[in-house]
Every structure is written in C-alpha cells, then in structure tokens.
Amino acid sequence: MNVLALEKALLTGKWTDDLDRSADAPVVKIARNVVKGDFTDLKTSASRDLFTVTQSNQDLPLAEWFDGSRLHAAGPEQELCRLSCAVACLHAFLQANWTGPDLDIKPLEVLTLTPELSQLVSEDFLHQKAVSELAYAGEPAYHLAKFPILLLLSRVLLDTPFQHCQSVPWWKLRLWRIHQQVLDEPVPVPSDVFAAVSPLLDTFATEPDITGRLLLEQGLLEHHVGHDKSAADYFVRAARATQLEYELTGALGKRTKFQERDISQLILLAKSRDEGDSTASPAGSSNVPEPAIPETLSLNDDTLLEQTAFTSSSASTAAAPGPRLGHIDPASQPALHPLDQSILLALCLNVKNTSPAHGLTAEQMSPYVARVISHPGNWTVHTMALLLRSRLESNRTRTVERSVLQLQALVDQMPTADSTLAERLLYIHEILLPSKWEMEKELALRYLTIGVVKSALEIFERLEMWEEAVKCWASMERADKGIALIRDLLEGRKAEADTVIMHGKALSENRRRVLDAAREAKLWCLLGDFEPDSAKEHYTRAWEISKESSGRAMRSLGGFYFARGKYPEAIGCLRRAVAINPLLARSWFVLGCACIREEDWDGAREAFVRCVTIDDEDGESWNNLASVYLRMGEAGKTAILEDEEEKPEDKVSLDAAKRIPFANRLLAFRALKQGLKFNYDNWRMWANYMIVAMDVGELSEACRALARVVEERAAKDGAACVDEDVLDRLVDAVTRGSGSGGGGGKPEIAADEMKASQSVGLGRRVADLFERTILPRVSSPRIFRARARLLSAEGRYGEALNAYLDAYRAGPAGTMEKGETDVEKWREAVGEVEDIVDVLRNFGPRHVEGFNWKLQARSIVRTFMGRTKDFEDEAEWARLTALQEDVRKEE
C-alpha cells in the first residue's frame, strides 16, 4: 500500500484508478469515499471504533472521552484510517457550513455510546460542548455553526501521534484556517503550525501543483490573521511553483455601449503552464465534460457593457507586455487551471489589503476577478470570484443592484445540488470563501448600505448576531429595543424562544438554553456599550463570567478607563487584553497612548512597535513611535541602537533636544519616514519629520518636509506655515558648503551638514524650495533675506540685491505709513533702513554694474524720514540724519 500516494489523493481531492489496483485494504475504500465526497464511512465500525466513548464524566474535554489505545494505534493502515476519518470529519463540517448541500450525517451516528451515556449525551449537549471547546484566545466560536462537533473530532484525530503519514501537518494547517473562520476575531497561530509544513515543500518538490497548493494555503492563513507582507510572498511563490505567468498591463478596448473609439483599459494577461490535461475537468476525471458553475447574473445596464471588450490587435500595439506574454490576445485569452485561478484571487485579495481604500484599488482588483470569471473552471472558485466582483461593484451606482442580487444568489445556491460535493470541495482550501453565516451577514450589511434596514435586521436576528441586530435598532433610532433584546437574551427569555424555533421541539418549562461563558461575556460587553452609565459594571461582569478569559471585556474596560483619564487602570486592563489576543492593533494603540500619558516610555515603545508590526501601514502609530523615541531621549533613556559617533548637534527648536541621544533621534527619523509613506497628507507628521531630519543631519529630507508643510498649510496659515529657523539653517548649510558668505553670522554648521549639501545637491533642492514652493505661495522679510543669502552664495548678485530690497519693502520700514505712533516699531524700522543702506553700499559698487545704488539709498532714507517726521524728537532720528549725510557725501 502506497501511503504517500493515498495522502496525495486526500490532499488534492483527485482519485485515480491506479490507487484502487494498488491495494485492497478497507482503508483504501474509506480514503476513496472521502475523496469522492462520501462521508458515510463515519457511521461504519472502522470510524466508530475510534470514537468509542469510554468516560462517563461529561465535563472532561472531548479528547479524553475516547479510548487512548485505539487513537494512538501505530501502523500505516491504522494511521491512514485515522487521517481519512479526520479529513472526512473536516470536509463534512465544510459541507454543512461552507459549500452545501445539507449534510445527511448526525453527530450521534459518529460516536459509539453506551446505553447509559446515550440517555445523557444529546445532540444539543454535543453542540454546546463543541462550541465551548472551540473558543480560543478569548474569542468565542459562532454558536449556530452546524455540527461543530465534527471540527472538534477532526482536531482530536489530527492531534494523535503519526509516524507514517507525512501530510498530517498540512491538514493541521487547514484545520487551523477553518477554526480561525469560526471565531469572532483572528487569533495568533502557533508558530509550529508553519514550521511543521516546511519539510513538505521538499517532499513534494517534483509536484508543482501540490507545492503551489501548500504555499497558497500558507499565504491564505497569513492573510487571514493580517500578515499581508508574508502572505504576498507566499502567493508569489505559489504562482512561481505552478509556473503561472501573469502581468497587469494595458490594452485597447471599450467599456460602454456608446464608445466609438478604443482607449487603453487595465487588463490582466495570464497563462497557465502548458499541460495537456490542466483544464480538462475540474475533478480530474475525464467523464465530467463541463464544470457546473453557480448562477452568474447579467448587468443589463443601458450604458455599461457586460465586460470590457478588448480589440484583438492590441496585444502587440497597446499592451506592450513582457516577451513571454506578448503573444496573448487580450480579446481571447486561454483558459486557466482552477489552481491558478485561486492564486489570482489570492493576489487580488492582497491588492485590497496592501492598498488604500479608494477607487483606484478597486480598479486594480477588477482585472484579476474578470480574468477568473471569463473562464469558469470550478464551482467553488467561480463562487469566490463572483463574491469578489460583488464586493467591488457595491460602491458604484450602475452596478450596486447586481452586487446585491448576485450576493443573494450565492447565498441561495448553497443548499442546492447543482454540482457534486467532490467538485465543491476540490479547491475549498485554496480560496478564502466565507462560511454560510458570514456570507449572509455580508448580505445583511449590503442591505444596510442601501437603506434596507428591516431586511438586514431579520437576517441578523435569524443568525443570532445580536451585536449587529442591536446596531440596526440603533440606526432606526430605537436603541431601547436593542437594549431590551440584550437583556432578554441574558435573562433567557429570548434564547428560550429561539431554541424552540430552531430545534422544532415542544416547549418545556424547566428547559433553558445554557449560554457558554464566552457568548454570555460578549453579551454583557454589548450591553455595556449601549448603557454607558453602567458600562464599568457590565464589563467587569463579563470578565468574571468568562473566568478572566474574555479579551473583549478587557478591551472594553480599558477603553472605558482611557476615555475617563484613568490611565493606570486602562494600562492594566489593556495589558490583559493583548495578552489574550495580541493580533488586535487597536488595543496596542490605545495601550501605547495610555503609556504616553503616564510617561511609561518603554511600555509605549513596545505597544507602538507591536502596532506597526501588525499593520506597517499605520502612519499614526509610526508618528507616535517617533515621539516616544524622542521622549525617551529627554528622559535619559537611549534606544537600542549603537551610537558609535555622537554627531555635533545643531538644534532647531527645543533646548531639551540637546539631551536626546543621537540613537533615539535616528530611530525617530526612520519611524517618521516610514509613517509618511501612508500619511502623506498629514502636515503635522511632516513638521515633526522636518525637525528630526535637521537634528540627524538629513538636510535634503528636511527640505522636502518643509516643502510639503508649505503646500498643505500655505492657503490657511500664510507665511506662518514656513519654519524660518529651518529655512535659515538650510541656506546656511548651502552657503557654508559653497565657501561663500552672504549675510548675518550663524553658528558653525556641523560637518555632516556640509557633507550632505555637497553629496545630494542640497543647493539645488533649496533653490527649488524657494522658486517652486514658497515664493509662489507666501512671503515675508525673513524669507526674502534667506533667499538673498542663497543667491549671493551662487554669485547672482543682482537677484540677491533685489531680494534684499523685497525684504525691506515687506518689513516694518517698507510698510510704515504716515501717522504711525508705535515707537518700538519705528525704532525697528530705523535699523532696517540702516541695514538696507549697508547692503546697497556693499553690493552696488562691486557686484551690480549700471545700478545707481547711491540714488536708491538716498531715496530710501529720504522717503522713510518723510513718512515718520512725527518721531523727530526721538534719539534715533539723529542716526537717520547722519545716515542721510553719509549717503550724500558718498554721492
């Protein structure tokens, strides 16, 4: 018996006749039936022997109910039997909750119970026990999932020791992803789940499709828990393993019925590897000519075409793809293997997670979906493609109707038998298809977006998604009804009625549905959200009921304390919350903010580092992390970065910055630089980045940051948006680096600043800053003087002199009118007059030919004295008189 070949059949869902001829052992028949989608063997003795209940204590975990000697039996046949039964249980659970049609197996038919236990163990009891045991990391499992005991039994079998079956770690990976989708929120995946499947890449190195499946499934699990970069790497490796060639490019085509000429349209060119039977049939069997596909609704719009109509000639003219795809005609692309279609859908999901939420992202995702929909190859893969198209069309006026109707059609098709179960399960692990309840929830949320609140409420109440139901009541301005609903659930009135309806049983006065601890804690948290006056008591009650395992209770209580300024209590609660489920970035963010308020810089740094680890596109967390590094430096704490050379410090703003170690400033600079990639329009972050960049000697970056601040704030703040201290330092760096002086004395510029100005062309950047950004928008005397010094250093003396004159005209002396009574302002203006005469005296005779500087100087002094005759009695008037006499003598 070839165990590895049978394992491949279970993994891929494809059975060949060679496997039947290789062995006649009963376990081969079981494996064949599982591959074919027949799980009736779970009711036979081979399976029921594994699930013989030997413990009478029902409070024990389910794994301890069974005979350990049978579950741990060694030998290839025994292990393959356990693996086949585990796969059957898992796929039966998927059939009941994901793919349909309805499952014809009952949980009690799988277990072997003694007559005494048969009286005690009911299907309701098994359901409640399974839901309770499936709760993980403080997150409850969905309580209306059908037959959750099957998922638990599959886990029990896969947790037993295996010596001969190599694919068990892969099945554990699949089990974990299904388990994640049953929970309310994603939870961390144990590290050994990924580590254990790594050797399988070598085992199946010669099987490109199997290797591609494994890499794709790892990526989907990473994607589900929010690790998008790692997921993207897995998806690309999966495409490389299956030799899928694809390229997002442009081609000529039409999108509307009235379009007369072709214009460039975004298209995905893709091609599977050349293989004779790659798309022969979805189930790998030649007797299935055409795959059954779900209902695909037409758009029926009076303007838009059903799909973009590409012109055949555009392959060589407009598309300009890579050399390997240049031969593909955009109007008639070849069919893709369903596995390659799954990879394209995964790449499409990754585009959404790693891009901003705007129309451009939807336009980039659409070609992936259109490429898959154009050639249906498998029922489940096509269902996922239609679902993604429905999501993309939900925000467009012309397509929102089809979006809702298509989603409704996908929900309605689940119980039908329009395709075989084997086909539906064939690629179920290669796509991120939502469960039935999640798809119905998505439909209800879609109803909410178009204002059909009552229908959405009916769906939420039927699915017993009470949180969403209460929000529906609140949106209808009936929050009191929502609160009453929660209280009815907690007191058992509402739950009792629902149980009777759901199970179709007669009403029993002494029977009351028992809520498991995780669900009851969630309801108390929900009540706290809607009753703020008693929120603290409700959250605390939820924490106690869950036996200190409810992450949501601690998250809610931490937010409650934070909103009221009780930061030490908030920190304590949030630390417990992130210890239970460390994948929720929002909890880490609030924890970091609370630590900042308490000046716990180490705690704040840890929290914001975790935030950006979970979501490296969180610009606000990057900004806060930079602030924490600087505050740590002020507190005398050096961050973990070897400070080999403490660079000379040229300070911009606060004297406290002198105490900040260079390591902290450099880490703050890097954090802000990363955060600005995702918060490009946040002028406050640019202002912080400008200051820190000056401190670490990155003058070119400081110049760029100053330009961004001016672009964002000039219209509102005017000249105040320019940090003139930074501008002066940038000009000083250029003028000192060029070897020319030009203006008032400044502190010595650090050697690293001079090096920066020489190496990255700082002078050109600063000149562009003046000419293209600042002066077209704002001006001030200091800005003009800074530009004059820059022009002087460049040897453009005529333009420098004009800039000095512009500074004089924009200053107090140039704007002073007759009747001015402010003596201090007049005295300042006298100094400006003396300064501009000195500038004219220095530049005029030596640098500017044909310019009568003496006449200009005399005119300035005479005009100023004529406007300010009211100040003749002031002592400074004598200075003006002497200055006028000096100019006259020079003339």
Side-chain angles (χ1 to χ4, degrees), residues 387-665:
L387 176 62
L388 287 177
R389 188 182 70 177
S390 173
R391 292 172 180 172
L392 293 174
E393 293 182 344
S394 62
N395 295 319
R396 297 183 61 191
T397 306
R398 290 188 175 275
T399 57
V400 64
E401 181 180 0
R402 179 170 72 170
S403 170
V404 177
L405 294 176
Q406 182 69 74
L407 187 53
Q408 179 70 63
L410 294 178
V411 171
D412 294 341
Q413 74 172 351
M414 292 300 180
T416 64
D418 58 353
S419 62
T420 64
L421 178 60
E423 181 188 352
R424 295 188 180 195
L425 292 173
L426 189 58
Y427 295 100
I428 187 65
H429 299 289
E430 278 64 51
I431 56 175
L432 208 57
L433 186 71
S435 58
K436 290 180 180 179
W437 65 83
E438 282 294 332
M439 201 172 291
E440 289 194 67
K441 176 184 176 181
E442 189 170 338
L443 176 62
L445 293 174
R446 195 72 51 82
Y447 281 152
L448 284 178
T449 62
I450 59 176
V452 190
V453 182
K454 193 66 176 176
S455 297
L457 178 61
E458 292 174 358
I459 294 176
F460 287 138
E461 289 190 337
R462 176 166 51 81
L463 296 176
E464 296 191 13
M465 295 181 175
W466 305 119
E467 182 171 0
E468 288 75 14
V470 171
K471 290 179 180 177
C472 283
W473 283 115
S475 68
M476 292 188 289
E477 299 182 356
R478 295 295 306 275
D480 56 320
K481 294 278 290 183
I483 294 174
L485 172 62
I486 302 172
R487 289 200 172 276
D488 286 348
L489 288 165
L490 288 170
E491 294 170 10
R493 295 190 296 269
K494 180 71 174 176
E496 174 65 26
D498 286 350
T499 303
V500 173
I501 293 172
M502 182 177 67
H503 294 288
K505 297 180 179 179
L507 179 61
S508 171
E509 293 182 0
N510 60 359
R511 184 173 64 84
R512 179 177 172 180
R513 185 178 183 185
V514 179
L515 292 172
D516 65 86
R519 285 183 54 227
E520 186 175 358
K522 181 179 178 180
L523 289 173
W524 279 108
C525 289
L526 189 57
L527 186 61
D529 294 343
F530 283 87
E531 291 186 349
D533 294 339
S534 306
K536 179 181 177 182
E537 292 76 12
H538 296 331
Y539 296 148
T540 305
R541 178 76 180 275
W543 179 245
E544 293 170 352
I545 286 175
S546 68
K547 299 179 181 178
E548 301 187 353
S549 66
S550 172
R552 173 162 181 175
M554 280 295 103
R555 292 195 296 272
S556 300
L557 197 56
F560 173 85
Y561 285 129
F562 183 86
R564 287 155 181 77
K566 299 180 179 180
Y567 302 117
E569 292 88 345
I571 291 173
C573 293
L574 291 169
R575 287 195 185 281
R576 291 179 180 178
V578 297
I580 294 171
N581 188 351
L583 281 184
L584 300 179
R586 186 64 190 171
S587 300
W588 284 109
F589 185 86
V590 179
L591 174 60
C593 293
C595 290
I596 287 180
R597 300 296 178 90
E598 288 297 301
E599 298 186 359
D600 177 9
W601 308 122
D602 290 328
R605 176 182 61 177
E606 177 192 5
F608 289 123
V609 166
R610 293 299 293 266
C611 281
V612 298
T613 302
I614 296 170
D615 180 10
D616 67 346
E617 298 182 11
D618 185 355
E620 195 171 355
S621 293
W622 282 111
N623 183 53
N624 289 352
L625 181 60
S627 299
V628 168
Y629 282 133
L630 296 177
R631 296 293 183 87
M632 288 175 66
E634 291 178 11
K637 296 182 178 181
T638 304
I640 303 176
L641 177 74
E642 291 195 11
D643 192 2
E644 298 176 356
E645 288 185 23
E646 187 67 25
K647 298 190 176 182
E649 300 182 8
D650 235 355
K651 299 304 167 253
V652 176
S653 52
L654 300 176
D655 292 336
K658 297 177 182 178
R659 301 192 302 270
I660 301 176
F662 181 75
N664 296 63
R665 286 180 281 142

Side-chain angles (χ1 to χ4, degrees), residues 542-802:
W543 179 245
E544 293 170 352
I545 286 175
S546 68
K547 299 179 181 178
E548 301 187 353
S549 66
S550 172
R552 173 162 181 175
M554 280 295 103
R555 292 195 296 272
S556 300
L557 197 56
F560 173 85
Y561 285 129
F562 183 86
R564 287 155 181 77
K566 299 180 179 180
Y567 302 117
E569 292 88 345
I571 291 173
C573 293
L574 291 169
R575 287 195 185 281
R576 291 179 180 178
V578 297
I580 294 171
N581 188 351
L583 281 184
L584 300 179
R586 186 64 190 171
S587 300
W588 284 109
F589 185 86
V590 179
L591 174 60
C593 293
C595 290
I596 287 180
R597 300 296 178 90
E598 288 297 301
E599 298 186 359
D600 177 9
W601 308 122
D602 290 328
R605 176 182 61 177
E606 177 192 5
F608 289 123
V609 166
R610 293 299 293 266
C611 281
V612 298
T613 302
I614 296 170
D615 180 10
D616 67 346
E617 298 182 11
D618 185 355
E620 195 171 355
S621 293
W622 282 111
N623 183 53
N624 289 352
L625 181 60
S627 299
V628 168
Y629 282 133
L630 296 177
R631 296 293 183 87
M632 288 175 66
E634 291 178 11
K637 296 182 178 181
T638 304
I640 303 176
L641 177 74
E642 291 195 11
D643 192 2
E644 298 176 356
E645 288 185 23
E646 187 67 25
K647 298 190 176 182
E649 300 182 8
D650 235 355
K651 299 304 167 253
V652 176
S653 52
L654 300 176
D655 292 336
K658 297 177 182 178
R659 301 192 302 270
I660 301 176
F662 181 75
N664 296 63
R665 286 180 281 142
L666 186 57
L667 287 170
F669 171 78
R670 292 171 180 171
L672 285 168
K673 187 173 184 179
Q674 184 71 13
L676 283 169
K677 296 178 182 178
F678 316 108
N679 264 17
Y680 189 74
D681 295 330
N682 189 328
W683 69 270
R684 290 183 176 87
M685 282 186 66
W686 281 109
N688 293 341
Y689 184 58
M690 174 180 65
I691 300 297
V692 176
M694 293 299 296
D695 267 346
V696 299
E698 293 284 350
L699 303 187
S700 295
E701 289 299 298
C703 184
R704 184 167 74 99
L706 179 55
R708 284 294 301 138
V709 173
V710 173
E711 289 169 357
E712 292 291 331
R713 301 296 297 174
K716 185 174 183 179
D717 295 342
C721 69
V722 180
D723 191 321
E724 294 174 337
D725 290 331
V726 171
L727 186 62
D728 279 340
R729 286 189 58 197
L730 291 172
V731 172
D732 285 344
V734 175
T735 56
R736 298 298 178 91
S738 64
S740 300
K746 292 287 180 181
E748 283 295 318
I749 305 300
D752 59 297
E753 293 183 352
M754 293 171 58
K755 181 179 179 181
S757 69
Q758 296 166 0
S759 60
V760 298
L762 181 62
R764 183 67 260 167
R765 290 174 178 266
V766 175
D768 287 344
L769 176 65
F770 278 110
E771 296 168 5
R772 299 184 180 182
T773 306
I774 296 179
L775 292 178
R777 293 175 173 84
V778 296
S779 62
S780 73
R782 193 168 171 184
I783 292 173
F784 281 125
R785 283 195 288 270
R787 182 165 188 263
R789 290 190 287 113
L790 179 66
L791 293 170
S792 175
E794 295 175 352
R796 299 157 64 183
Y797 302 114
E799 294 177 61
L801 181 55
N802 288 333

